[in-house]
Amino acid sequence: MTEAQDTMIMGRGGDSVALDPAIVTDGESLKIGHQVFDSLLDYKEGGTEVIPGLAESWEISADGLKYVFKLKSGVKFHDGTDFNAEAVVFNFNRWGDPASEYKFEGDSFDYYDSMFGPEDGRVIKEVKATDETTVEFTLNQPQAPFLQNIAMTPFGIASPTAIQEKKKTSRASLWAPAHLYSKSGSVTTPSPWRKTRIIGKKDCQS
């Protein structure tokens, strides 16, 4: 009888371009991003119906211009910092503000621009934290698939502290940020194994 194993080794069709899901569009990178980062919402298996992710519930105003998400409490990023409403605000401001100091050289938030409009026509007007576990989105105009868009892998929430640290250390290579980003878990890419293997676990943990 063979001994039970707790590690799965899987071959991939190509290398990941980067490990920040917000700046990539290729499938191999997004596969890793989906395994490492959590979004506010997720998809029910086999379809596009949304289910709770980092947000456990949500309410929509009658005019479709306000979405209020109640977040899970007790969740931490893999770097030990707390997931909270301010972390959500930080991430969406980073993606939506072309002048953000956390949009690093070479970064392009193509999915954000595609799903939520270009700089001169943003769907999202404001994102604000009303308390530790509540975040409110105000839209410039209603968007029918807003919840489905929020659930996409490129909008996984990363640790603000990790991104701020990345700014301090600079972007040495596409692989340097690996340990900085968290699904409520972590990803590590030992430098001798570049383009060979990725060892990962969730960034957000409760």
Side-chain angles (χ1 to χ4, degrees), residues 21 29-38 42 151 153 183 202:
S29 298
L30 289 170
K31 285 177 186 176
I32 298 300
H34 181 68
Q35 295 174 55
V36 177
F37 292 81
D38 290 303
D42 205 344
T153 297
K183 191 171 185 160
K202 284 281 193 181

Side-chain angles (χ1 to χ4, degrees), residues 125-142:
K125 179 179 181 179
E126 182 186 28
V127 184
K128 67 179 182 180
T130 57
D131 61 41
E132 279 286 300
T133 58
T134 307
V135 62
E136 180 182 281
F137 287 73
T138 301
L139 309 188
N140 283 308
Q141 66 263 351

Side-chain angles (χ1 to χ4, degrees), residues 12 15-16 19 32 175 187-190 193 196-200:
R12 302 202 299 149
D15 194 19
S16 293
L19 299 180
I32 298 300
W175 291 87
V187 171
T188 58
T189 53
W193 297 94
T196 305
R197 71 178 181 182
I198 293 176
I199 304 169

Side-chain angles (χ1 to χ4, degrees), residues 18-199:
L19 299 180
D20 178 356
I23 65 172
V24 297
T25 58
D26 67 292
E28 291 299 332
S29 298
L30 289 170
K31 285 177 186 176
I32 298 300
H34 181 68
Q35 295 174 55
V36 177
F37 292 81
D38 290 303
S39 302
L40 292 180
L41 303 177
D42 205 344
Y43 298 114
K44 190 173 183 179
E45 188 173 354
T48 57
E49 179 184 347
V50 294
I51 57 177
L54 288 173
E56 59 185 13
S57 64
W58 56 94
E59 295 180 356
I60 309 170
S61 64
D63 61 7
L65 295 178
K66 282 193 184 296
Y67 288 72
V68 179
F69 294 88
K70 190 66 176 178
L71 309 178
K72 292 180 178 178
S73 58
V75 177
K76 289 185 179 294
F77 291 105
H78 80 283
D79 59 9
T81 58
D82 293 330
F83 164 75
N84 53 33
E86 289 293 347
V88 176
V89 173
F90 179 94
N91 277 265
F92 275 87
N93 285 347
R94 178 192 176 218
W95 304 327
D97 180 5
S100 172
E101 62 181 310
Y102 300 107
K103 181 177 183 179
F104 304 111
E105 183 178 355
D107 284 356
S108 179
F109 301 126
D110 293 335
Y111 267 107
Y112 188 92
D113 291 346
S114 177
M115 297 300 107
F116 302 118
E119 181 183 351
D120 60 353
R122 294 290 198 212
V123 169
I124 298 175
K125 179 179 181 179
E126 182 186 28
V127 184
K128 67 179 182 180
T130 57
D131 61 41
E132 279 286 300
T133 58
T134 307
V135 62
E136 180 182 281
F137 287 73
T138 301
L139 309 188
N140 283 308
Q141 66 263 351
Q143 184 187 56
F146 182 73
L147 294 178
Q148 281 74 18
N149 290 345
I150 286 287
M152 294 177 67
T153 297
F155 309 123
I157 305 301
S159 161
T161 300
I163 295 174
Q164 290 162 351
E165 184 62 27
K166 179 185 175 185
K167 183 177 188 296
K168 293 178 185 177
T169 57
S170 78
R171 187 173 184 174
S173 74
L174 289 175
W175 291 87
H179 68 290
L180 298 180
Y181 292 97
S182 331
K183 191 171 185 160
S184 311
S186 64
V187 171
T188 58
T189 53
S191 55
W193 297 94
R194 183 182 178 187
K195 295 181 179 287
T196 305
R197 71 178 181 182
I198 293 176
I199 304 169

